Amino acid sequence: MENQTDIKKASEFLRRGELVAFPTETVYGLGGDATSDMAVAKIFEAKGRPRFNPLIVHVRSLDEAMQYGQFNATAKKLATLYWPGPLTLVVQRTENCPLSLLVSAGGDTVALRMPAHPLARALLEEAELPLAAPSANRSGRISPTEAAHVREELEGRVAMILDGGSCEVGIESTVIDVTGDIPTILRPGSILPEGVRSAAPGGAIISPGMLESHYAPDHRLRLNARDVSADEVLLAFGAPLMGAKWVEQLSASGNLNEAAANLFRMLRLLDKRESGGIAVMPVPETGLGMAINDRLKRAAAPKA
Ligand code: TXA
Ligand code: MG
């Protein structure tokens, strides 16, 4: 855990419009002042990201969030239930929203999230700024769950990297569009559909697949493998298939939380090995397994 001096230094960089990578409970974020067009543009540049892709803005509190976005009853209920935590709410921008239009990719909605990680919260408090922060990877690459991953991706493109160790959740936040009457889950995460429905009397619909299609390792990913060839490396879940040249184990006991926390780190490790491809054992489509399978499907899809 970094000390107060580092947080002060990081805040100064942010106030000067520089970028700082910081840990959240989900993955590391690449943060910049969300009220500054220049700082937000720098984020796109550093990631090499296609411009018209909106960013999540991280805030200190629901009160702050309500200055930027219009919260209907369901949005308020969800925020009260799950903030701080791995939940992002897409809402209409307020009339005098001070956030850069670039975080909305020019649109009239904004994605807001109050993170739970103590270092992220300390940084938001010290900087006294809303922070636009996509995952701290180059565009099209796997989200970083350790400071070393961020260094690999963004060294030299970011003023500072705050090291908070490994991210506890390991998968990006659940993204829910609450602009309409019925909440729509745009990206599955560790806040599960059951949890969303409990706050939404009219129910909630799941509509993933609209978001980025490019969590891509360099090697080919083969999903739901029931066997493995000698030139393949294996991402195992439960008792590993025999015969792979290298194995990473998501969870020997079949624990989905453990698997989510390990997923991106292990994909990185496997991708670094020389191999004829990465075979992935089936992961059950229940609870967090839905979020894990969503990321795996994206990683296996042909690159955009
Ligand atoms: O866990 C997370 O959410 C991490 C940490 C750093 O907070 N952040 C993250 O950001 O994953 P990013 O930019 O990699 O993913 C944000 C997702 C994108 O798929 C984007 O399309 C969607 O949220 N998004 C952002 N603003 C949106 C908006 N106004 N409407 C619809 N989708 C939006
Ligand atoms: Mg991302």
Side-chain angles (χ1 to χ4, degrees):
M1 191 62 81
E2 309 274 323
N3 59 31
Q4 198 55 30
T5 322
D6 290 317
I7 289 171
K8 282 222 157 70
K9 202 166 122 197
S11 301
E12 277 155 29
F13 278 127
L14 289 167
R15 281 199 288 262
R16 271 184 260 136
E18 302 288 332
L19 306 185
V20 171
F22 62 95
T24 80
E25 67 278 24
T26 57
V27 300
Y28 276 76
L30 173 62
D33 177 357
T35 65
S36 157
D37 292 331
M38 287 299 288
V40 178
K42 245 184 222 172
I43 294 175
F44 287 108
E45 188 190 12
K47 280 186 68 98
R49 188 184 236 199
R51 179 131 310 182
F52 294 116
N53 201 343
L55 304 180
I56 296 174
V57 176
H58 297 67
V59 297
R60 282 157 278 176
S61 64
L62 175 55
D63 276 348
E64 186 191 0
M66 285 165 55
Q67 294 170 31
Y68 311 142
Q70 300 173 36
F71 281 64
N72 58 24
T74 305
K76 267 187 211 152
K77 198 158 176 197
L78 285 167
T80 308
L81 275 173
Y82 296 113
W83 282 2
L87 175 72
T88 296
L89 295 171
V90 174
V91 292
Q92 294 288 335
R93 290 171 67 106
T94 51
E95 200 158 325
N96 298 311
C97 180
L99 303 177
S100 165
L101 267 174
L102 266 184
V103 301
S104 301
D108 51 14
T109 62
V110 62
L112 298 166
R113 152 160 141 79
M114 178 182 171
H117 195 291
L119 208 46
R121 299 186 67 181
L123 183 65
L124 287 163
E125 289 293 341
E126 181 67 33
E128 297 186 300
L129 289 172
L131 297 180
S135 50
N137 49 278
R138 298 281 197 105
S139 187
R141 310 269 314 157
I142 299 163
S143 293
T145 56
E146 292 178 3
H149 301 161
V150 182
R151 247 171 261 126
E152 278 172 34
E153 299 273 328
L154 296 171
E155 183 98 80
R157 294 171 165 247
V158 46
M160 191 172 171
I161 301 171
L162 288 173
D163 189 342
S166 308
C167 300
E168 199 183 320
V169 178
I171 285 201
E172 305 90 338
S173 60
T174 304
V175 178
I176 307 179
D177 181 334
V178 278
T179 55
D181 292 336
I182 299 173
T184 306
I185 300 175
L186 300 177
R187 181 174 71 182
S190 60
I191 306 293
L192 303 176
E194 302 88 277
V196 178
R197 288 193 187 105
S198 70
I205 45 179
I206 305 178
S207 170
M210 309 157 63
L211 302 181
E212 53 211 308
S213 61
H214 50 237
Y215 290 90
D218 292 327
H219 287 89
R220 188 179 54 90
L221 220 68
R222 190 166 64 81
L223 302 185
N224 297 315
R226 307 278 172 186
D227 52 43
V228 58
S229 64
D231 70 335
E232 282 182 315
V233 292
L234 179 70
L235 186 61
F237 182 81
L241 296 167
M242 304 299 285
K245 65 189 287 191
W246 185 264
V247 179
E248 294 290 340
Q249 175 62 266
L250 285 173
S251 172
S253 65
N255 178 309
L256 289 167
N257 282 63
E258 186 186 9
N262 282 331
L263 178 67
F264 290 139
R265 182 172 54 84
M266 290 183 174
L267 278 176
R268 263 171 206 277
L269 289 172
L270 291 173
D271 204 24
K272 278 189 185 141
R273 302 242 150 213
E274 216 162 291
S275 79
I278 304 169
V280 181
M281 289 176 62
V283 174
E285 186 70 4
T286 54
L288 251 184
M290 288 185 283
I292 294 172
N293 285 323
D294 172 72
R295 305 312 189 274
L296 285 170
K297 273 181 227 147
R298 289 171 201 275
K303 288 183 201 183

